[in-house]
Amino acid sequence: MEPGDAARPGPGRVVRALRPRLLLLPLLPLLLGRGLRAGAAASSSGAAAEDSSAMEELATEKEAEESHRQDSVSLLTFILLLTLTILTIWLFKHRRVRFLHETGLAMIYGLIVGVILRYGTPATSGRDKSLSCTQEDRAFSTLLVNVSGKFFEYTLKGEISPGKINSVEQNDMLRKVTFDPEVFFNILLPPIIFHAGYSLKKRHFFRNLGSILAYAFLGTAVSCFIIGNLMYGVVKLMKIVGQLSDKFYYTDCLFFGAIISATDPVTVLAIFNELHADVDLYALLFGESVLNDAVAIVLSSSIVAYQPAGLNTHAFDAAAFFKSVGIFLGIFSGSFTMGAVTGVVTALVTKFTKLHCFPLLETALFFLMSWSTFLLAEACGFTGVVAVLFCGITQAHYTYNNLSVESRSRTKQLFEVLHFLAENFIFSYMGLALFTFQKHVFSPIFIIGAFVAIFLGRAAHIYPLSFFLNLGRRHKIGWNFQHMMMFSGLRGAMAFALAIRDTASYARQMMFTTTLLIVFFTVWIIGGGTTPMLSWLNIRVGVDPDQDPPPNNDSFQVLQGDGPDSAGGNRTKQESAWIFRLWYSFDHNYLKPILTHSGPPLTTTLPAWCGLLARCLTSPQVYDNQEPLREEDSDFILTEGDLTLTYGDSTVTANGSSGSHTASTSLEGRRTKSSSEEVLERDLGMGDQKVSSRGTRLVFPMGDNA
């Protein structure tokens, strides 16, 4: 055989080479059958997967539809609550019932609905399962979970204590009616706070500005530290008797003191407004409640920012303390500046554009600029409550003058309605949260201690501050006023919003539960006793808001003759009013002409070398109008409120000088007045006041510059 014969297949070799392949021929049907069955199985498996995917999509759509339905039901629940509250308010006003305010009604209806949702709606089937992540040392805000190759996103709801891991709420409806705390801060609080500043009666507010600032700043700080220290003693007592199951630090007590110091006497003020109670008492309570909300929120932020160096982060550290004080001042001043600047920008836009020709656009711009102040301050790290409050005051003082008649009415009514709905919504939610909130911590010792602490804290800043303020006030804060202010220290929307904003820890949950009960008690019990308290303290009602306080032993003098004493007293009053006179002069001569269509032309008040700038900034309406545009309540600072009195046929001014047959008002005690003084008198609404008296000459001080 040649070498190539082995490679060249012969007949026998071909048979042998093909035999293994021929042996497979009988197996082809079997293999093909198996292949067909395998293909059929794969095909049926794919069809089953498609069916399963379709079923999952259908189930997802049903869950989304069910979730949408529950969202609609939850919102409808609150709308029905507000509707029922409004109808009951009408009934109470019709029947002249004053023992329960609308906010108390909203809380009662919220409680009823909360009971129904808690005990009347069935729990859904439990679908929650605990997954252990022992390797992680912190919580994640968002988790992506792989379930059979499909990724699902989960968001953090909060911490659950180990003892309550098996009692997590399974009722979807209760979960739906539990709102994100940011809803309260970003949506519901801005219209409430802005309305407080926009509807401010500047005349009585600025007449008592010194006292209001003392109560709001010093009083809130004193109340915070007194309540915080008393509650720290209560916490120590709870630890001794074994009623404290988790950590509760001194800074937590101070934080509770800050949030619970935010007063909200909405019930008392509503009754005051309805009965036309004393305007100065109303101004003191309203001004304190408006400003101390701002102080409380900044103070609570400063306490949270307190971080001592070292391992013990809750010990006292002087450097950290002063840093917190600096944070307080920085946040407050920055928020104030941001709110005022936004109001100034809005005033300039409405002045130098013709938006007044389109009232709808004008109102929309005013609304958006005002609301954006809150969000802008929060985004920049400041406090939106302070910013939107001072934005409202600035808008009322400047921008309001530039609006058309339609826009003035629309903005007033718009924010009044938003304030009413938002406030009643919050109080309704308070009643609902007592039964729907999942993390309540009820501690009888802490609750009783909190009631005692807020009573002592309120008394510790009302009575001592009133004593010191009366040393410099011409219109003294009487004991009946002080008792009424002590009685009117209700807690409300701001304390609730601050407490619910963070309920992650055991201490914060106990604070929230206690705050909720304090709000219930003060609104129902103290608010309901306002009318009897007014009568018991002999506080006058039925007073015209534009009427000045009546003469009493502390507020007028009986002069038997002309002499230097009265002139000296007048000069003393002028000296005490210098800061307000300085501000009013600057505002009237410069700010009003720049930001509004009112005031004197800048060409007459600015130096001659600023003539071009003065002509650009002065509105043409100023030259057209003979009289400066006067606000509804522009006479907010009464610097020299002594009235000129008619004695027989002669006129006696505040300093005792007299003239015949003419009754006039003198701000400086002189018969001859400059043009600027005449404009000041006209703006203050004092030019036409005449009081006739025979036999004695009375001097009525109309202002408080304390």
Side-chain angles (χ1 to χ4, degrees), residues 255-275:
F255 179 82
F256 178 72
I259 65 174
I260 209 65
S261 295
T263 60
D264 186 16
V266 57
T267 304
V268 176
L269 293 176
I271 295 176
F272 279 13
N273 191 45
E274 185 177 353
L275 297 177

Side-chain angles (χ1 to χ4, degrees), residues 36 38 70 101 106 117 122 205 208 226 237 268 324 344 368 377 481 540 542 559 573 609 624 664 681:
L36 291 174
Q70 291 179 353
H101 187 248
L117 292 178
F205 178 84
N208 297 277
I226 288 179
L237 177 62
V268 176
S324 296
V344 167
L368 294 176
F481 278 23
R540 61 188 187 129
L559 306 180
K573 294 173 185 177
W609 56 271
D624 297 337
S664 62
E681 289 181 9

Side-chain angles (χ1 to χ4, degrees), residues 69-398:
R69 188 186 66 83
Q70 291 179 353
D71 289 337
S72 302
V73 171
S74 63
L75 292 177
L76 179 63
T77 300
F78 285 103
I79 290 176
L80 292 178
L81 277 175
L82 293 177
T83 304
L84 187 60
T85 302
I86 291 172
L87 293 176
T88 312
I89 291 170
W90 168 82
L91 181 63
F92 276 36
K93 289 183 179 295
H94 181 67
R95 300 292 183 183
R96 299 185 182 276
V97 176
R98 297 191 180 96
F99 68 88
L100 188 62
H101 187 248
E102 57 200 42
T103 54
L105 285 172
M107 293 171 66
I108 292 176
Y109 290 141
L111 282 171
I112 295 173
V113 174
V115 171
I116 295 174
L117 292 178
R118 165 62 68 179
Y119 302 107
T121 57
T124 55
S125 58
R127 296 188 300 272
D128 295 341
K129 181 180 179 180
S130 300
L131 299 177
S132 178
C133 300
T134 56
Q135 296 180 354
E136 303 295 338
D137 57 354
R138 65 184 181 89
F140 297 94
S141 59
T142 304
L143 284 179
L144 292 178
V145 180
N146 186 351
V147 180
S148 302
K150 295 183 179 181
F151 290 88
F152 298 89
E153 181 181 3
Y154 294 85
T155 56
L156 179 67
K157 293 287 291 184
E159 182 182 1
I160 301 174
S161 60
K164 297 184 178 181
I165 192 67
N166 296 321
S167 61
V168 177
E169 185 58 61
Q170 297 294 329
N171 193 322
D172 288 339
M173 190 61 194
L174 291 182
R175 288 180 174 179
K176 291 292 183 182
V177 297
T178 303
F179 285 93
D180 188 341
E182 294 303 316
V183 172
F184 293 98
F185 264 81
N186 296 331
I187 298 178
L188 298 178
L189 274 185
I192 295 176
I193 303 300
F194 182 86
H195 178 264
Y198 193 53
S199 62
L200 187 68
K201 294 295 184 183
K202 295 186 289 294
R203 178 186 185 187
H204 304 293
F205 178 84
F206 282 96
R207 184 166 64 188
N208 297 277
L209 182 61
S211 302
I212 290 172
L213 291 176
Y215 287 127
F217 284 86
L218 293 178
T220 305
V222 169
S223 175
C224 168
F225 284 99
I226 288 179
I227 294 175
N229 284 279
L230 290 176
M231 294 311 298
Y232 188 64
V234 172
V235 169
K236 289 295 186 182
L237 177 62
M238 293 173 61
K239 188 175 182 179
I240 293 174
V241 299
Q243 295 294 319
L244 195 66
S245 59
D246 208 338
K247 298 178 180 178
F248 208 120
Y249 298 106
Y250 178 67
T251 52
D252 294 325
C253 297
L254 288 180
F255 179 82
F256 178 72
I259 65 174
I260 209 65
S261 295
T263 60
D264 186 16
V266 57
T267 304
V268 176
L269 293 176
I271 295 176
F272 279 13
N273 191 45
E274 185 177 353
L275 297 177
H276 299 289
D278 189 280
V279 290
D280 282 331
L281 177 60
Y282 183 93
L284 288 172
L285 278 176
F286 180 78
E288 181 205 5
S289 66
V290 167
L291 290 181
N292 94 323
D293 283 351
V295 174
I297 190 172
V298 179
L299 192 60
S300 62
S301 300
S302 303
I303 293 173
V304 172
Y306 176 79
Q307 294 180 348
L311 298 177
N312 190 356
T313 58
H314 296 276
F316 178 78
D317 188 342
F321 172 77
F322 287 109
K323 181 181 178 181
S324 296
V325 173
I327 291 175
F328 173 85
L329 297 176
I331 291 178
F332 196 93
S333 58
S335 303
F336 166 78
T337 303
M338 188 166 292
V341 168
T342 307
V344 167
V345 170
T346 310
L348 291 174
V349 170
T350 54
K351 176 184 177 180
F352 291 104
T353 62
K354 293 187 179 297
L355 276 173
H356 63 273
C357 299
F358 306 94
L360 179 60
L361 300 180
E362 190 178 36
T363 304
L365 177 69
F366 183 91
F367 175 80
L368 294 176
M369 291 291 290
S370 302
W371 201 303
S372 64
T373 305
F374 183 92
L375 302 177
L376 180 62
E378 292 288 335
C380 294
F382 296 109
T383 300
V385 170
V386 180
V388 79
L389 170 64
F390 287 100
C391 176
I393 296 175
T394 307
Q395 301 277 45
H397 191 55
Y398 297 113

Side-chain angles (χ1 to χ4, degrees), residues 537-553:
L537 294 175
N538 295 320
I539 296 176
R540 61 188 187 129
V541 296
V543 180
D544 183 1
D546 295 326
Q547 178 184 348
D548 291 298
N552 53 46
N553 293 333

